[in-house]
Amino acid sequence: MIDIQPIEDQALRDLAALSGAEALEAFRIRYLGKKGVLAEWMAKIPSLSPEERREFGAAVNRCKKKIEELFEERKKSLETQPAAPEHFDETLPCPEPLSGRFHPIRETIHEITGIFSRLGFSVVDGPEIETEFYNFSALNIPLDHASRDSFDTFYTAQGQLLRSQTSTVQVRLMQKQKPPLRMIAPGRVYRPDTVDASHSFMFHQIEGLMVDDRTTFSDLKGVLHLALRELFGPEIKIRFRPHFFPFTEPSVEVDLRWGSRGWLEILGAGVVNPKVFEAAGYDPSQCQGFAFGMGVERIAMLRHGIQDIRHFYENDIRFLKQF
Ligand code: DAH
């Protein structure tokens, strides 16, 4: 025979602990429902012997009455009890609002254009779809130069091209503006490179150009030194290494000392070639200046310790959230 007592005790404890209409209903179904504990016991009665039937039947009835009574009581007391006031603490900090932020490439461009703006350079823009004239000829790049090859430049069916360097903006600006001028031109450039950890078919450059009647190579050194120290910190060491570019003469590449990795090339620069002034309609005997061009991704990767250029273009929020 079933021992009613422990289950009855459990039911009374459950009843005392429960609160809320849902818990009340769950209790009713569990003990008093059609398939509840008490209904189950009642169903067993007919199969018992007459003596057992009397004894067990009486116990079940008494238990049922008791649970029903206490259930009604509990139900009433819960219904009349006022709901607990919701606790509100206005001194707790509110959840941090979601906010957007600049892409690391945009942020790097901002920082660099900011440095040059403070040196009196204005920020100018140029088209990404260009002519051979602005991308090559005006920059003294000969017709047979390798960079003109379709392996190195994207051409359109109409004979235009996607600019492969921001140097295009040099002659575009000089055609519109007489010296003295100081400009900085950030933007996208395109090259048919196979994409890997350090190459992309699209990347960003920042071009710089300063022209008047007295600017020299030493001004170039001074301006770049100052800008790179602003960007990478006062401890930074840089070196000017002779190089060749058709649009500057003399030309240099500038390297940054990067800890154990040695010298890293970060930009090209030089004294503007008189041929470029000619192409722009300037009188080369009346003006002189310097130009430089740097890769934005390269600088952003160095500053933030980013190992793979592809991170910039994949829109992975886990990467972008870190800046
Ligand atoms: N246009 C060059 C490149 O894409 C970079 C460059 C070098 C720009 C020297 C300049 C310069 O203005 O004077 O590799």
Side-chain angles (χ1 to χ4, degrees):
M1 242 178 40
I2 301 161
D3 186 3
I4 288 178
Q5 203 55 49
I7 296 171
E8 183 180 330
D9 292 346
Q10 183 60 50
L12 300 187
R13 277 198 299 275
D14 287 353
L15 197 56
L18 63 78
S19 69
E22 252 171 65
L24 207 61
E25 180 60 4
F27 178 91
R28 191 192 64 74
I29 291 167
R30 167 137 201 244
Y31 291 100
L32 303 170
K34 266 193 223 135
K35 287 179 184 163
V37 175
L38 285 154
E40 212 176 278
W41 288 343
M42 305 282 258
K44 285 209 165 73
I45 293 173
S47 63
L48 300 173
S49 68
E51 302 90 79
E52 285 174 333
R53 209 180 290 174
R54 206 176 312 116
E55 196 191 324
F56 184 67
V60 170
N61 271 324
R62 183 194 48 75
C63 174
K64 184 167 183 249
K65 239 173 125 186
K66 189 164 178 188
I67 290 178
E68 277 172 350
E69 261 175 39
L70 290 172
F71 175 78
E72 285 307 321
E73 236 171 67
R74 185 86 185 117
K75 192 173 162 189
K76 249 187 223 122
S77 86
L78 282 176
E79 277 165 0
T80 51
Q81 192 179 307
E86 207 180 306
H87 192 64
F88 179 75
D89 183 349
E90 74 275 10
T91 66
L92 286 174
C94 62
E96 202 184 322
L98 286 175
S99 65
R101 63 191 83 194
F102 286 119
H103 188 279
I105 292 297
R106 188 58 42 194
E107 176 263 342
T108 305
I109 289 174
H110 259 145
E111 184 132 351
I112 296 170
T113 54
I115 292 168
F116 283 96
S117 296
R118 293 193 287 281
L119 294 170
F121 286 69
S122 49
V123 180
V124 305
D125 208 9
E128 290 173 25
I129 298 174
E130 263 296 2
T131 61
E132 286 202 52
F133 176 74
Y134 290 111
N135 202 79
F136 298 122
S137 312
L139 294 167
N140 191 37
I141 297 175
L143 277 172
D144 59 357
H145 193 274
S147 66
R148 293 205 187 213
D149 198 283
S150 63
F151 289 112
D152 289 304
T153 301
F154 288 112
Y155 288 90
T156 70
Q158 291 74 32
Q160 288 180 303
L161 51 81
L162 294 180
R163 67 176 178 190
S164 61
Q165 50 186 357
T166 46
S167 305
T168 52
V169 186
Q170 290 188 24
V171 170
R172 280 192 171 273
L173 181 75
M174 288 191 280
Q175 284 180 334
K176 279 190 280 190
Q177 212 171 297
K178 295 288 155 233
L181 56 86
R182 292 179 201 183
M183 73 91 177
I184 190 112
R188 294 190 185 95
V189 300
Y190 301 83
R191 291 180 195 178
D193 281 331
T194 303
V195 176
D196 63 23
S198 55
H199 293 86
S200 167
F201 53 85
M202 184 284 298
F203 57 99
H204 298 74
Q205 284 187 335
I206 297 183
E207 193 77 11
L209 177 69
M210 174 165 174
V211 182
D212 54 31
D213 59 356
R214 73 197 66 184
T215 290
T216 65
F217 189 81
S218 57
D219 296 308
L220 169 66
K221 285 188 80 172
V223 166
L224 287 179
H225 205 164
L226 206 141
L228 293 172
R229 282 173 49 153
E230 284 260 315
L231 205 54
F232 290 100
E235 307 302 330
I236 197 69
K237 284 200 170 53
I238 62 173
R239 132 181 127 173
F240 291 76
R241 182 167 39 77
H243 198 75
F244 173 78
F245 295 106
F247 32 94
T248 43
E249 178 62 33
S251 305
V252 290
E253 276 191 336
V254 178
D255 299 335
L256 255 170
R257 180 85 200 169
W258 205 257
S260 58
R261 289 164 67 186
W263 294 100
L264 292 179
E265 182 241 314
I266 59 156
L267 63 90
V271 170
V272 179
N273 190 314
K275 292 265 175 56
V276 177
F277 288 144
E278 268 170 34
Y282 279 11
D283 177 354
S285 68
Q286 298 300 309
C287 45
Q288 55 190 61
F290 65 71
F292 60 87
M294 58 180 103
V296 179
E297 277 79 352
R298 188 75 187 272
I299 291 174
M301 286 168 87
L302 284 171
R303 292 179 78 216
H304 297 296
I306 296 162
Q307 306 294 336
D308 193 318
I309 199 171
R310 290 168 288 199
H311 287 312
F312 291 125
Y313 318 120
E314 286 168 347
N315 260 344
D316 187 331
I317 210 85
R318 292 167 302 179
F319 170 76
L320 297 173
K321 261 162 81 170
Q322 299 173 55
F323 303 98

